[in-house]
Amino acid sequence: MTKMAACVPEPPLRMSVLSEVTASSRHYVDRLFDPDPQKVLQGVVDMKNAVIGNNKQKANLIVLGAVPRLLYLLQQESSSTELKTECAVVLGSLSMGTENNVKSLLDCHIIPVLLQGLLSADIRFIEACLRCLRTIFTSPVTPVELLYTDAMVIPHLMLLLSRSIYSQEYICQIFAHCCKAPDHQTILFNHGVVQNIAHLLTSVSSKVRMQALKCFSVLAFDNPQVSMTLVNVLVDGELLPQIFVKMLQRDKPIEMQLTAAKCLTYMCRAGSIRTDDNCIVLRALPCLVRMCSKERLLEERVEGAETLAYLIEPDVELQRIASITDHLISMLADYFKYPSSVSAITDIKRQQETLHANIVETDTSGAIDESQCTAASLTFPLLQMTQQSHQLSPQTSEEELDHDLKHAHELRQAAFKLYASLGANDEDIRKKIIEAEHMMDRIVNGLSETSVKVRLAAVRCLHSLSRSVQQLRTSFQDHAVWKPLMKVLQNAPDDILVVASSTLCNLLLEFSPSKEPILESGAVELLCSLTLSENPALRVNGIWALMNMAFQADQKIKSDILRGLNTEQLFRLLSDSDVNVLMKTLGLLRNLLSTRPHIDQIMSTHGKHIMQAVTFILEGEHNIEVKEQTLCILANIADGTTAKDLIMTNDDILQKIKYYVGHSNLKLQLAAMFCIANLTWNEEEVVSPKGSQERQDKLREIGIVDILHKLSQSTDPNLCDKAKTALQQYFA
């Protein structure tokens, strides 16, 4: 680590009036300037004893300028190691106060000073610096990038891992908290963090084992490179996954079980462990389900449910196993028994206060109003809350209310996430979820929660359940789910809009009873506006929903869609850089151009632009699926009565049809064959000025008939039949 220049802060400002600062606080700071080094040391020791557990004293000393002076003393070569160590201890204590305290320390550039202190040879001083750094880096107000500013810091921390058990604990904790992004994982991985902390999983210190385990969980998250390495790491002759499995045992601390399950989950999702491996199916999954039980702390239930949701999200077999493990679906219903508003919590605490008073005043017979007990316990499991996390005080502070609301929101969010993963693929599981107590009401209520995270999780749950045809026709209709969903779509962040619009796509399917009321509520305008979004996912969902809306729709709806999009926007979507947007736009055109009267009507007003778009795509560098969809649109146009002329009078398009019917790709051949079959159809035409005979003659002139004769001998039965059918039109 590069030697840093000494930071010599200015002496603290003397303020004439500090009403909140006591005389004794000033005395502590004044002693830091005593010319006698021994008195300075004693002053720092006394300051250390004064600030322990006293946030007001910490704030007073920070205001009086103790931090710059402590940092100054810590850096002076003339300061004894003992003084430097005590200064680091006091700074560590100050950092354990409020977030404002940490901000003040950061403003004084404490991190570079402490990192410089790690170059010392004295282990006690190093440990004091590491302890302070650990506390600062674990604060939410500290930018974790500060750890990576100097390229020599991480290698030096690796070297310090061998110095003591405390250094191992603190460094692992720093790594775990400062690994927030893929580039952080890469830096730590490239500096050998896996090899350097693997052996710590068998440390004699439970704290070291725990912090090392947390390191592995953040390193493995969504990182195939790290996960593929971890699966082959040996520690005392055992592979890491085997060690993680041992840490899942019920006699281990709950935090250890949860974190080990996380490690296995992340490795599984990254592809280094199979989803059917026993360590997942028989160990990690059951452990995470256990964490969801009401016997666990609220924080553990949240973490367990969210990790389990992530584990099973892509795998239907894990979803089925989880759904039948320990009555998980009904177990999650308890997550909704906590109130989610300030007024509800206040009312419940008032009930608790009344109940407490009644218990105190009860007579010798012990007679208590049973209805009060029942009401309080049903509305809010207070006893459980007391056992688990914190006791709800009748004298409710704003901070306590925020704490209770945070738990209520986190529980709802976790339950919705897990329900969404459970119901992602299996119809029977979806049915069980919806049949759970008040489930649809809970989802509908969740869509209007004050917490954005809860709303997002509720929409995800709704989206998962909306994949069920049966539920779209029953539960979704009974609860008029489309109403709150449309409200969510009016004004929401992009992450919610993406999932909500995906759900709307399902509600607009042809068989959904919600389709008609959604249309009447102004959905066309809303969806057209989504296609203008800079977010590709929103553009896809907007056009996808319009595509579903146009399927077998009447002429008015189709006209409304075309009017809402307008030609310019339609062309913009057809040239979109996102292939999914392009595919859904082609799907929309295909649905719009269905049934002859509609085809002729649309082509009479938009035909020129549509033909230009078709030509543009067929000439472009697009994949097989895009060109197949485009040829299918041409086949639909060829099925129109008057619309056929737009193809027959366009030699360029006819040549493209000829090219694709002779293409090497079967899908493109079949799609082009549909165009030819519709163009050669010889039914009597009254409206069109060009009859079937003229069309057949023109197709013969450009060589289509010769190609049909060849294809009638094709080894593909479908293509062979289509070619023979087209040829028959010439002899009918």
Side-chain angles (χ1 to χ4, degrees), residues 511-667:
F511 51 76
S512 170
S514 303
K515 181 176 181 178
E516 188 173 339
I518 290 173
L519 286 170
E520 293 171 355
S521 68
V524 172
E525 183 180 353
L526 170 67
L527 295 171
C528 288
S529 70
L530 289 182
T531 68
L532 297 168
S533 172
E534 294 182 3
N535 187 328
L538 286 177
R539 294 201 301 277
V540 168
N541 288 347
I543 203 71
W544 194 341
L546 289 170
M547 182 186 79
N548 288 350
M549 187 185 290
F551 181 72
Q552 295 186 357
D554 59 36
Q555 183 64 48
K556 181 184 180 305
I557 293 172
K558 292 181 178 181
S559 298
D560 288 345
I561 292 172
L562 283 168
R563 187 165 49 251
L565 278 179
N566 71 58
T567 306
E568 183 181 345
Q569 175 60 5
L570 190 61
F571 261 91
R572 192 179 295 116
L573 292 166
L574 288 170
S575 58
D576 200 287
S577 58
D578 190 301
V579 69
N580 292 316
V581 174
L582 174 56
M583 282 294 289
K584 295 307 175 189
T585 306
L586 292 171
L588 168 62
L589 271 177
R590 191 173 173 183
N591 285 349
L592 290 171
L593 294 167
S594 61
T595 72
R596 286 179 184 169
H598 295 177
I599 295 169
D600 291 333
Q601 171 64 32
I602 291 171
M603 292 304 291
S604 68
T605 53
H606 302 278
K608 179 182 176 182
H609 296 106
I610 290 174
M611 294 303 290
Q612 286 175 350
V614 166
T615 304
F616 177 74
I617 293 170
L618 290 178
E619 289 178 348
E621 295 294 327
H622 295 290
N623 61 36
I624 297 297
E625 286 71 25
V626 168
K627 294 198 172 185
E628 179 191 18
Q629 192 76 262
T630 307
L631 288 168
C632 288
I633 291 170
L634 270 182
N636 283 14
I637 295 170
D639 191 42
T641 303
T642 58
K644 283 183 171 74
D645 294 342
L646 289 167
I647 296 177
M648 295 307 302
T649 57
N650 190 324
D651 290 340
D652 191 19
I653 286 290
L654 288 174
Q655 287 299 323
K656 284 179 172 54
I657 292 173
K658 175 185 175 181
Y659 169 75
Y660 283 109
V661 80
H663 200 277
S664 59
N665 184 275
L666 181 60
K667 288 182 178 180

Side-chain angles (χ1 to χ4, degrees), residues 120-241:
S120 169
D122 187 88
I123 187 59
R124 286 190 65 250
F125 178 45
I126 290 173
E127 288 173 352
C129 290
L130 284 172
R131 190 181 304 114
C132 186
L133 282 167
R134 180 272 313 268
T135 306
I136 291 172
F137 274 120
T138 54
S139 169
V141 302
T142 305
V144 297
E145 294 297 338
L146 292 173
L147 182 68
Y148 305 96
T149 304
D150 185 339
M152 296 306 295
V153 169
I154 303 298
H156 188 69
L157 289 173
M158 296 292 183
L159 293 174
L160 292 177
L161 280 169
S162 61
R163 294 297 301 274
S164 72
I165 284 179
Y166 289 120
S167 66
Q168 292 169 350
E169 178 190 344
Y170 302 147
I171 291 170
C172 285
Q173 203 166 356
I174 290 169
F175 285 162
H177 278 274
C178 292
C179 189
K180 303 286 188 186
D183 56 330
H184 300 155
Q185 292 173 319
T186 300
I187 292 170
L188 293 171
F189 179 77
N190 289 342
H191 280 97
V193 69
V194 171
Q195 292 74 19
N196 278 282
I197 67 172
H199 70 281
L200 301 183
L201 291 171
T202 57
S203 169
V204 294
S205 166
S206 60
K207 289 183 178 180
V208 171
R209 293 198 302 274
M210 192 63 241
Q211 295 307 326
L213 187 60
K214 285 184 177 180
C215 261
F216 281 119
S217 72
V218 296
L219 285 167
F221 178 69
D222 201 21
N223 194 313
Q225 181 189 22
V226 174
S227 294
M228 293 305 293
T229 301
L230 294 185
V231 80
N232 295 312
V233 171
L234 279 170
V235 180
D236 294 343
E238 280 191 299
L239 290 170
L240 270 188

Side-chain angles (χ1 to χ4, degrees), residues 109 165 177 197 219 354-355 391 493 503 507 541 617 683 685:
H109 307 291
I165 284 179
H177 278 274
I197 67 172
L219 285 167
T354 304
L355 182 60
Q391 181 143 6
T503 310
L507 268 65
N541 288 347
I617 293 170
E683 66 180 10
E685 296 171 5

Side-chain angles (χ1 to χ4, degrees), residues 408-429:
H409 290 155
E410 287 179 344
L411 285 164
R412 281 167 165 71
Q413 179 187 352
F416 282 136
K417 279 184 179 178
L418 186 45
Y419 276 136
S421 289
L422 284 165
N425 297 290
D426 190 279
E427 184 66 22
D428 289 337
I429 298 176

